[in-house]
Amino acid sequence: MIQFKALLIKELKEAFRDKRALLVAMSMGLLAPVMIMVMSKTMIKDFVDNPPIYVKFSGAEYAPKLIKTLKDNNILDFADVPEEEKRNWQERNVELIIPDSYGEDMLDGKAIDIILRADFSEKSLNAPLRRIKEEIRNFSLAIGYKRLLVRGIDIKLLQPLRLQEQDTSLPSSNAVIITLMLGLYLLMGAFISGQSISIDSSAGERERNVLEMLLCQPVSTLKIVLAKLICSSLIATISVTLMLVLTTVSVSFVDLTKIGATFSLDGTTFIALLLLLIPLCFLAASMQLFFAFQAKTFKEAQSTVAMLIMVPTMIPVAMMIMDDKPVWTEWAPIFGQTLLMEDLFKGLPVDWQAFTVTTAATIALTAGLVLTLAKRLKSEKVVMSLG
Amino acid sequence: MRIFCKLWIVLTLLPISEVAQAAEDMLTLEHCHLEGIKQQVQCGTLQVPENYQQPDGVKITINFAVLPAIDNSQDKEPLMFLAGGPGQAAVSLAGGLYRAFNEVRKTRDLILVDQRGTGKSHPLQCENAITMDAYQTLPEDFSEQEVKQCLAELSGDLTQYNSENAIRDFDAVRQALGHQQIAIYGGSYGTRAGLVYMRMFPQSLASVVLDSVGPIEVPIGLFGKSAARSFQMLLTHCQQEPSCQQAYPNLAEEFTQVVAQLERDPLKLTIAHPRLGTNTEFNIDKNKFLSTIFSQLYSLEGRSLVPLVIHQASLGNYAPFAGLTAAGETNMEMFVGLTFNIVCNEDMPKVSAAMLAADADNSFNGGLSHLAWKTACPIWPQYRPDDAFYQSVTANIPTLIISGDLDPVTPPSNGDYADKSLPNSKHIIIKNGSHTPGVMPCAITIINEFLDKQTPGGLDESCLEEIPGESFMTNLNGGI
């Protein structure tokens, strides 16, 4: 025990000695909340705000009521574009063409073709075009309804079926746009934050010839590996905790009510999330150590571990694409945590069975890696990285 | 220290759980879905005594819904919505309110209580009155016979289904949900209920919004003068708007002419039933024409069609009128039993023959709005509120009063009564609004600001200027 304590203190000293490297390792935890805030703000702005749209009308004089309705909804004439936005809208070049027969055809009850011309593949036009189409559709529908009404027809006939949607998600669900990002960042945080420590304490120490010294001491290799593991996963855990705390703070600056959503993590959810993530931090550290020790050089270790980080980001994305998830995803490490995090964010009761199984699987995998590594470190080949 | 903590927990938990236990027998609250709302909301019931003088006597169930705030973290007091009528069921309006009050709902729960006698709170409904065929029957067909038949269907002690007991129920719901104070929004008759609430339980109310006021001083049910004013404004606005003026230069004369003609010879037409498509008899007389036009005056949407309907009728085309009749058949259920129970006992006794005559002396629909009361009230079971009920309300609660200038039933002069007697109020008149204009998006932002500031003065009312004036349909195919 004393031996182990000494080992752990040595590893922690090593890890915390280089403050700048540590700060960079932690930067994930500091940056992710800011990213989440900025990204969700922009998304909400695109989604909710109705910024002015400037359209080049031709034939506006034929349809004064239509143009007025559009103006009431912030869809304005290109002639009124303010100087600083002029270049943008000139490039976007949205045209609405109203035929000169508009008035006549309206009175005759004939269908009128109005032309909306724009580059429909231009991303920045998605929302404006959607709004223009919607307003014209509503305007047209309103006239249609009234036409039928004044002909003595019950306008409710136009709605034979009314679909009543009933959403069974709990009102306490957190905003999806936040939880998607946060879930991804948490997994990345767990896998990325400890990597520099892992590589340095394995491949790095080997190149500095510290590892030899360490293995000459009368301590078991298991203790050495465990000390390194705890140190690396501690950094990852701190980073993940930071991320959760800071996200809760940063999201409070975003007005999610605009999209009818909220974000809050109560104590129970917070603790449950940490309980899910800490085993993952250990798994990440053990994988990093394992592959870094396998590598022949520091450089190779770096590139191998960098590839490893792709794993946690790919899994949640793959899970998003997979609608029918096979049963094993509920307990497999990383897969299971992704699913459980989703439930926690939705405010659903935790499936403790899946929780236990996936955590156990994660710990088992970690233990397997640690034991294998401890065994391998007994061989000089591995220590001296003789191929 | 730890022992002390444990002791403290035990001490505080006990009384709470006892209280909760007692209230739990009375209160149920569960997640549910309501029509027109995709998200889950909460539905609840509360057992209350039918007669508050006999708390251990007969119990009735009060039905209510809570539309939860999107973001509840700020702990603002909820807003209770008091429905109109009298006889509207608040919970049935949930879908519309959910959207209209979106701005308020961002940070406040919205509480909707079915007033006793409506919805699922021991409803008083005259099935025969609401199942009358809209095309064949005429307003004067609602006879004593109908009223008696309706009374036979009603159950319970009718004298207890009054405004004051309704308020006792509302306050009981407030208490059961654990709110120290709430804000209330009353629309139409809901303002009368709101004023009664202010008088009975002022300490329960943080702030009050009264939209389209039915003040204590003005009996509900005399709509002749106010409807004539509203209709006159419609005629004026049509003449001021170039396209309407051009399409209907003689609208006032045409109106007089159609009414005179229907008075002389009521029409019996055969039309294609607006909904069924089969042939049906369509009876139109003066009263029916006027009461249909009258009901259009409530909303801007309805008003926009009135000139066209009058003009086409003057040409002998009653299809647009049939379309209006069809549109009037909404799913909006009015609990007529409660309407009569309250108006016949709380308002009509205060109306003298002279008042009726004065109200009937108008250029629009005469005494038509009194017809139903004259038929039902003489045979309706009686109760009388005590004098306190009719005192002007003087509660010192921040109150925002809203009126629509075009309103056919609660004109801005009504709002002035409340504004005069209340010490902490402000009266906003929305120039281009009709009945209950408080649910317009612009008004909702003002209401939301008021609920946060809790002072009726100094609110940002700039958006009211942007509400467009009336526009009218000028052609059977829509104008340009």
Side-chain angles (χ1 to χ4, degrees):
Chain A
M1 199 63 225
I2 294 173
Q3 273 183 343
F4 181 67
K5 217 171 177 176
L7 276 171
L8 189 59
I9 287 168
K10 169 238 165 221
E11 292 294 346
L12 288 172
K13 268 189 179 162
E14 287 254 14
F16 284 88
R17 185 183 302 139
D18 190 343
K19 294 278 183 300
R20 282 165 69 180
L22 193 70
L23 201 67
V24 174
M26 290 283 179
S27 63
M28 185 82 194
L30 300 169
L31 281 177
V34 178
M35 288 278 292
I36 288 176
M37 180 179 84
V38 173
M39 280 174 73
S40 48
K41 265 197 167 163
T42 1
M43 278 159 108
I44 290 172
K45 196 167 171 296
D46 285 350
F47 189 74
V48 179
D49 287 356
N50 284 343
I53 296 170
Y54 296 96
V55 178
K56 293 179 177 166
F57 292 116
S58 48
E61 64 277 20
Y62 306 124
K65 276 191 179 169
L66 170 63
I67 300 298
K68 189 182 170 305
T69 306
L70 292 175
K71 279 192 175 151
D72 288 344
N73 289 290
N74 230 356
I75 297 165
L76 310 168
D77 191 347
F78 182 72
D80 306 330
V81 69
E83 204 49 50
E84 64 271 18
E85 294 203 41
K86 193 160 184 165
R87 201 180 59 90
N88 271 343
W89 287 101
Q90 183 64 48
E91 264 175 32
R92 289 174 192 160
N93 198 21
V94 183
E95 289 179 81
L96 193 71
I97 302 159
I98 296 160
D100 55 6
S101 58
Y102 182 95
E104 215 172 300
D105 288 346
M106 182 65 81
L107 292 184
D108 289 347
K110 290 181 184 163
I112 304 162
D113 289 328
I114 290 179
I115 299 167
L116 176 63
R117 275 179 71 148
D119 177 353
F120 279 73
S121 68
E122 169 64 41
K123 197 187 128 306
S124 66
L125 279 180
N126 280 353
L129 290 174
R130 180 177 50 85
R131 274 173 54 202
I132 294 169
K133 284 193 286 190
E134 203 172 327
E135 289 312 329
I136 292 177
R137 211 182 112 257
N138 290 343
F139 181 81
S140 171
L141 266 181
I143 293 175
Y145 273 96
K146 282 189 175 179
R147 282 177 175 180
L148 290 186
L149 187 144
V150 300
R151 281 163 180 70
I153 291 168
D154 188 347
I155 50 177
K156 293 189 282 292
L157 288 175
L158 290 167
Q159 286 188 310
L161 301 180
R162 288 194 308 178
L163 197 61
Q164 293 285 343
E165 297 177 13
Q166 299 194 341
D167 182 350
T168 54
S169 71
L170 292 175
S172 56
S173 298
N174 281 309
V176 177
I177 54 168
I178 304 280
T179 56
L180 278 182
M181 287 191 269
L182 183 59
L184 200 59
Y185 282 135
L186 284 172
L187 284 173
M188 282 169 70
F191 271 76
I192 290 177
S193 306
Q195 68 159 343
S196 58
I197 312 290
S198 302
I199 298 172
D200 189 67
S201 68
S202 50
E205 284 193 354
R206 179 195 289 145
E207 293 202 353
R208 292 198 298 273
N209 297 327
V210 178
L211 194 61
E212 267 180 280
M213 294 266 299
L214 206 55
L215 290 166
C216 291
Q217 307 303 326
V219 285
S220 76
T221 49
L222 182 64
K223 280 183 183 165
I224 292 174
V225 175
L226 274 179
K228 292 183 187 307
L229 178 82
I230 288 172
C231 176
S232 169
S233 46
L234 179 71
I235 305 290
T237 306
I238 292 172
S239 172
V240 167
T241 316
L242 256 183
M243 206 184 288
L244 273 176
V245 174
L246 291 179
T247 304
T248 313
V249 174
S250 77
V251 168
S252 65
F253 292 103
V254 183
D255 184 8
L256 287 167
T257 57
K258 280 186 180 170
I259 53 166
T262 48
F263 182 84
S264 65
L265 293 179
D266 54 66
T268 343
T269 316
F270 194 91
I271 288 163
L273 280 171
L274 277 184
L275 284 178
L276 265 184
L277 288 162
I278 289 171
L280 274 185
C281 293
F282 274 81
L283 176 65
S286 64
M287 283 166 87
Q288 286 157 356
L289 284 169
F290 187 85
F291 285 97
F293 269 122
Q294 289 292 26
K296 291 212 173 357
T297 61
F298 189 82
K299 214 182 224 173
E300 191 193 332
Q302 268 185 319
S303 52
T304 320
V305 173
M307 286 312 291
L308 259 189
I309 289 159
M310 301 293 282
V311 175
T313 46
M314 281 196 183
I315 289 176
V317 171
M319 296 283 277
M320 249 188 269
I321 297 166
M322 261 197 293
D323 281 338
D324 299 323
K325 298 174 182 71
V327 178
W328 59 263
T329 54
E330 286 190 16
W331 55 262
I334 308 177
F335 288 92
Q337 276 91 348
T338 312
L339 285 176
L340 283 164
M341 269 205 284
E342 217 175 287
D343 285 356
L344 279 169
F345 286 137
K346 280 187 183 171
L348 296 174
V350 183
D351 178 356
W352 288 112
Q353 195 189 340
F355 194 103
T356 318
V357 173
T358 188
T359 304
T362 311
I363 292 170
L365 186 57
T366 311
L369 283 166
V370 169
L371 290 173
T372 319
L373 191 57
K375 202 172 158 202
R376 295 189 58 128
L377 279 184
K378 289 195 170 98
S379 108
E380 276 183 30
K381 247 194 196 169
V382 177
V383 178
M384 305 310 286
S385 75
L386 307 164
Chain B
M1 183 70 214
R2 185 165 289 180
I3 289 172
F4 175 76
C5 272
K6 271 195 179 157
L7 197 70
W8 181 81
I9 288 170
V10 168
L11 280 179
T12 50
L13 275 183
L14 264 183
I16 289 175
S17 58
E18 264 178 35
V19 171
Q21 195 52 51
E24 231 164 64
D25 305 337
M26 308 290 205
L27 178 80
T28 67
L29 195 61
E30 55 190 12
H31 284 302
C32 66
H33 279 107
L34 294 174
E35 191 185 323
I37 304 178
K38 187 173 167 184
Q39 282 69 27
Q40 285 199 61
V41 297
Q42 291 180 301
C43 298
T45 60
L46 183 70
Q47 299 289 318
V48 297
E50 181 176 53
N51 181 348
Y52 276 90
Q53 306 299 323
Q54 300 161 4
D56 301 328
V58 180
K59 291 269 192 292
I60 58 171
T61 303
I62 296 297
N63 175 56
F64 66 90
V66 180
L67 313 184
I70 297 169
D71 177 2
N72 239 332
S73 62
Q74 300 176 47
D75 255 343
K76 295 179 182 176
E77 67 273 329
L79 178 70
M80 187 184 276
F81 172 86
L82 309 186
Q88 258 185 348
V91 176
S92 69
L93 304 173
L97 294 172
Y98 185 85
R99 280 178 295 279
F101 281 79
N102 191 39
E103 202 54 42
V104 175
R105 211 170 39 81
K106 282 181 180 179
T107 52
R108 294 171 194 277
D109 287 357
L110 212 56
I111 304 173
L112 314 174
V113 188
D114 277 346
Q115 181 172 348
R116 54 165 63 197
T118 72
K120 292 181 186 154
S121 302
H122 192 107
L124 302 175
Q125 183 58 292
C126 306
E127 291 302 332
N128 58 340
I130 55 166
T131 50
M132 283 179 154
D133 180 281
Y135 302 98
Q136 291 174 22
T137 51
L138 298 166
E140 52 273 26
D141 293 347
F142 183 70
S143 64
E144 266 188 38
Q145 187 51 43
E146 251 76 34
V147 180
K148 283 180 179 149
Q149 205 182 328
C150 163
L151 279 168
E153 290 174 38
L154 304 180
S155 67
D157 174 3
L158 287 184
T159 64
Q160 297 305 320
Y161 291 82
N162 54 47
S163 295
E164 288 192 339
N165 274 349
I167 299 305
R168 290 186 182 102
D169 300 339
F170 294 166
D171 206 56
V173 170
R174 170 197 66 81
Q175 205 171 355
L177 290 173
H179 299 295
Q180 190 75 43
Q181 282 201 316
I182 52 172
I184 54 173
Y185 164 96
S188 194
Y189 162 80
T191 61
R192 167 71 60 89
L195 286 160
V196 175
Y197 205 153
M198 291 166 85
R199 178 173 58 80
M200 291 172 76
F201 304 103
Q203 67 287 351
S204 300
L205 301 176
S207 50
V208 177
V209 181
L210 302 176
D211 181 10
S212 305
V213 191
I216 307 284
E217 298 86 343
V218 181
I220 294 171
L222 305 185
F223 304 136
K225 279 267 189 264
S226 50
R229 173 180 175 274
S230 170
F231 182 67
Q232 201 49 53
M233 287 173 103
L234 184 146
L235 293 178
T236 311
H237 289 158
C238 174
Q239 293 313 306
Q240 287 169 350
E241 209 259 318
S243 65
C244 192
Q245 198 277 330
Q246 217 167 4
Y248 319 114
N250 310 314
L251 193 60
E253 292 80 26
E254 284 171 351
F255 171 72
T256 320
Q257 173 215 316
V258 169
V259 172
Q261 205 172 354
L262 286 172
E263 193 167 21
R264 266 199 318 276
D265 318 305
L267 290 172
K268 260 194 187 315
L269 305 173
T270 302
I271 59 164
H273 191 291
R275 183 163 39 85
L276 302 172
T278 50
N279 281 348
T280 182
E281 206 171 82
F282 189 23
N283 293 324
I284 311 167
D285 67 355
K286 175 189 164 184
N287 282 350
K288 188 167 187 170
F289 186 77
L290 287 172
S291 62
T292 305
I293 297 290
F294 169 69
S295 59
Q296 298 307 309
L297 299 176
Y298 278 75
S299 70
L300 296 173
E301 195 59 27
R303 294 171 72 91
S304 71
L305 295 168
V306 168
L308 181 137
V309 171
I310 292 170
H311 177 68
Q312 290 296 328
S314 77
L315 301 175
N317 172 15
Y318 281 89
F321 185 73
L324 281 191
T325 310
E329 285 195 293
T330 55
N331 313 340
M332 248 312 306
E333 214 181 348
M334 185 66 90
F335 290 80
V336 187
L338 183 77
T339 311
F340 286 128
N341 202 47
I342 285 184
V343 176
C344 289
N345 287 303
E346 294 177 12
D347 294 280
M348 282 301 144
K350 293 283 164 187
V351 176
S352 63
M355 285 161 81
L356 281 171
D359 186 62
D361 178 22
N362 65 67
S363 61
F364 176 60
N365 63 358
L368 182 60
S369 65
H370 317 156
L371 193 64
W373 318 127
K374 280 180 169 165
T375 310
C377 293
I379 45 177
W380 203 270
Q382 292 192 358
Y383 68 85
R384 292 287 176 264
D386 53 21
D387 287 341
F389 184 83
Y390 297 102
Q391 299 306 312
S392 294
V393 179
T394 55
N396 189 1
I397 303 165
T399 306
L400 183 66
I401 301 165
I402 299 171
S403 299
D405 202 19
L406 311 173
D407 195 325
V409 284
T410 54
S413 55
N414 276 17
D416 290 338
Y417 279 102
D419 197 25
K420 254 199 292 278
S421 72
L422 294 169
N424 189 2
S425 66
K426 177 156 200 287
H427 186 193
I428 294 178
I429 298 171
I430 299 181
K431 191 160 75 74
N432 297 317
S434 189
H435 194 53
T436 58
V439 293
M440 288 176 161
C442 162
I444 290 283
T445 56
I446 298 173
I447 288 172
N448 196 39
E449 190 191 352
F450 163 71
L451 293 176
D452 284 346
K453 283 190 176 168
Q454 304 215 333
T455 51
L459 303 172
D460 177 11
E461 299 166 22
S462 56
C463 64
L464 290 173
E465 296 306 315
E466 290 159 25
I467 299 173
E470 292 202 80
S471 76
F472 302 96
M473 191 172 181
T474 51
N475 175 286
L476 283 170
N477 279 329
I480 52 162

